[in-house]
Amino acid sequence: MKRTLEILALLSVVLASVLAAPLSSAQTGLPSQSWITTWGASQQIPEPNNALPVDDLRDSTVRQIFHLSVGGSTIRVHVSNAFGTEALHFTSVHIARPLSPSSSAIDPTTDKALSFAGSGDVSVPPGAEFISDPLDFPVAPLSNLAVTFHLDAPPSRQSGHPGSRATSYYVHGDAVSAADLTDPKRVDHWYQVSAIDVLAPADAASVAALGDSITDGHGATTNGNDRWTDVVAARLQSSAETRNVGVSNQGIGGNHLLTDGLGPNALSRFDRDALAPAGVRWLIVFEGVNDLGGLARNGEVSPAEHKALVARVLAAYQQIITRAHAHGLRVMGATITPYVGSEYYHPGPLSEADRQAVNMWIRAAGHFDAVVDFDAVVRDPQSPDRLLPAYDCGDHLHPSPAGYRAMGEAVPLSWFALAPTQPAAPVQPPR
């Protein structure tokens, strides 16, 4: 009996030590790392003046520079044929460290070939994208990455992102590993690359910013990476609590909530641009000025039409919130910034009243999970229906780099400093 009690006591000590020991990720079944988006851009059909000439993409090498948000030791790249009508053959895709964001030169010692399902080339079906195999390639936070691909034949229809605010380079022939491209043609647009992911700690995540040209960065510095989303990415890196949060800019210049403008409307592109980015946990919605401004752009309409438009805009916001919540995302709404004085929209009192009505709804509790009041940040206190002159790029619609900095600094980083399983708590909006 005494021997039995001794054995039971020993077993209890062993069991207690096992229960107290931390479990490895393999033992718990939980991943120790996760993929998150470190850079992203919404795809669209480039307008004729922004598309590359077809012959320039026949037997062509295209080199593009992308500014990353978070760093990591392993990387993968998404190549896109989102709007192509036939399969697109990439004969090779390489990555390297660029020497400058405004040059086609790379450090050739860092040049690496990507593979796709083990192959050096890939045919991307129409309407699809393809993610490369993971590649060990350390990248630092807020660094730049060159992605170079070769096409033997041009796309049936190009997919790209015209509002890159970054220079791309292209030449004929296969020069994917060239230290520099010889006499390349240059264009300030991106083509056929939609996202870059890094392997990060398991508690890492990303935020997607769904917006129009003010998110896309019209008025920002070409190759300067000073959009408001870039400011947010830099601020996230400044704190240990948010260092593992990536930023994906899903803005499209001229984009609308309700109708196709430049690029598909926000509701139709929602799944691809808001839900699909790797590791996305938060969404910032900053859309609507093009809907509001477009209503009376060619002449004033009745108050009833203004009222109906506001109702449709608010219904679109609610759709976005509902769909995001269904996928576990938390949604921050951004108020619409002033645009009186815009020569493009030349808004009158009724359009300004529409903006005020929409912003009142955004600020009200019970809609978005949190609010960033961009309107309050960039408006002129003396003329609150206009941008502050120092924050105006000159067209009275888009902010200047100083305006974008003020906007990026207004986004509350506390919203992103969360434990992996902790839901985002709603932030009381300003009154």
Side-chain angles (χ1 to χ4, degrees):
M1 181 66 176
K2 180 180 178 181
R3 180 63 176 164
T4 301
L5 291 174
E6 289 174 349
I7 293 173
L8 289 174
L10 179 61
L11 287 174
S12 67
V13 171
V14 172
L15 180 61
S17 64
V18 169
L19 291 175
L23 296 178
S24 69
S25 58
Q27 290 172 310
T28 62
L30 296 175
S32 60
Q33 292 180 297
S34 60
W35 288 103
I36 66 169
T37 302
T38 183
W39 172 88
S42 299
Q43 300 298 288
Q44 65 181 93
I45 302 170
E47 312 91 281
N49 60 312
N50 289 329
L52 293 180
V54 171
D55 286 342
D56 284 348
L57 285 175
R58 199 180 310 279
D59 181 25
S60 66
T61 294
V62 180
R63 178 167 290 169
Q64 305 177 98
I65 313 297
F66 305 109
H67 188 65
L68 311 182
S69 54
V70 294
S73 60
T74 305
I75 199 167
R76 64 187 190 184
V77 174
H78 300 232
V79 292
S80 177
N81 191 25
F83 293 95
T85 56
E86 299 175 5
L88 178 62
H89 183 217
F90 293 81
T91 66
S92 58
V93 184
H94 282 224
I95 59 174
R97 293 193 180 92
L99 299 186
S100 163
S102 53
S103 164
S104 66
I106 61 169
D107 176 355
T109 65
T110 65
D111 177 68
K112 300 287 184 183
L114 295 175
S115 63
F116 299 83
S119 176
D121 70 330
V122 62
S123 288
V124 183
E129 69 175 23
F130 228 88
I131 306 174
S132 73
D133 300 332
L135 178 68
D136 290 338
F137 190 97
V139 291
L142 308 178
S143 63
N144 296 312
L145 182 75
V147 178
T148 309
F149 61 78
H150 176 261
L151 301 175
D152 49 2
S156 56
R157 186 165 62 188
Q158 293 173 35
S159 300
H161 189 83
S164 65
R165 326 297 162 196
T167 305
S168 299
Y169 311 87
Y170 57 103
V171 296
H172 280 299
D174 189 344
V176 291
S177 293
D180 201 357
L181 301 182
T182 303
D183 194 22
K185 294 183 178 180
R186 302 163 183 252
V187 63
D188 292 337
H189 311 305
W190 285 318
Y191 302 93
Q192 314 296 158
V193 177
S194 58
I196 299 170
D197 303 333
V198 293
L199 197 58
D203 63 347
S206 60
V207 52
L210 187 71
D212 49 42
S213 58
I214 305 179
T215 295
D216 204 18
H218 183 98
T221 308
T222 299
N223 299 317
N225 299 306
D226 53 9
R227 313 162 191 83
W228 68 262
T229 53
D230 296 315
V231 176
V232 171
R235 290 178 61 223
L236 287 167
Q237 287 300 312
S238 69
S239 169
E241 291 183 310
T242 57
R243 204 161 287 159
N244 290 326
V245 177
V247 178
S248 181
N249 185 322
Q250 303 294 158
I252 292 180
N255 200 231
H256 293 214
L257 280 165
L258 302 170
T259 57
D260 290 346
L262 298 181
N265 69 79
L267 289 180
S268 71
R269 67 187 183 96
F270 182 82
D271 287 3
R272 180 173 61 239
D273 294 346
L275 299 182
V280 66
R281 190 186 301 167
W282 304 278
L283 177 66
I284 302 175
V285 180
F286 184 33
E287 286 254 20
V289 70
N290 293 316
D291 298 85
L292 299 180
L295 179 66
R297 183 183 172 215
N298 297 317
E300 191 53 271
V301 299
S302 69
E305 290 177 86
H306 281 273
K307 182 178 179 180
L309 174 66
V310 169
R312 292 197 301 273
V313 166
L314 301 184
Y317 286 150
Q318 190 59 64
Q319 284 289 303
I320 289 172
I321 295 167
T322 299
R323 291 168 66 179
H325 284 173
H327 290 268
L329 274 63
R330 312 305 288 168
V331 193
M332 180 182 291
T335 51
I336 307 300
T337 49
Y339 64 108
V340 164
S342 162
E343 288 299 319
Y344 186 75
Y345 284 132
H346 42 80
L350 292 178
S351 292
E352 173 61 12
D354 294 343
R355 187 180 73 91
Q356 295 295 342
V358 168
N359 283 349
M360 185 180 300
W361 189 93
I362 292 172
R363 293 184 182 109
H367 300 143
F368 288 102
D369 300 306
V371 174
V372 56
D373 199 343
F374 284 157
D375 171 39
V377 171
V378 300
R379 69 191 180 206
D380 185 345
Q382 305 304 315
S383 302
D385 57 0
R386 294 175 180 265
L387 291 169
L388 187 72
Y391 290 166
D392 189 341
C393 80
D395 66 4
H396 312 304
L397 172 63
H398 299 93
S400 63
Y404 284 130
R405 172 155 294 281
M407 293 167 64
E409 290 175 347
V411 175
L413 297 192
S414 59
W415 206 55
F416 308 109
L418 302 175
T421 58
Q422 179 184 350
V427 176
Q428 185 64 29
R431 296 297 184 185

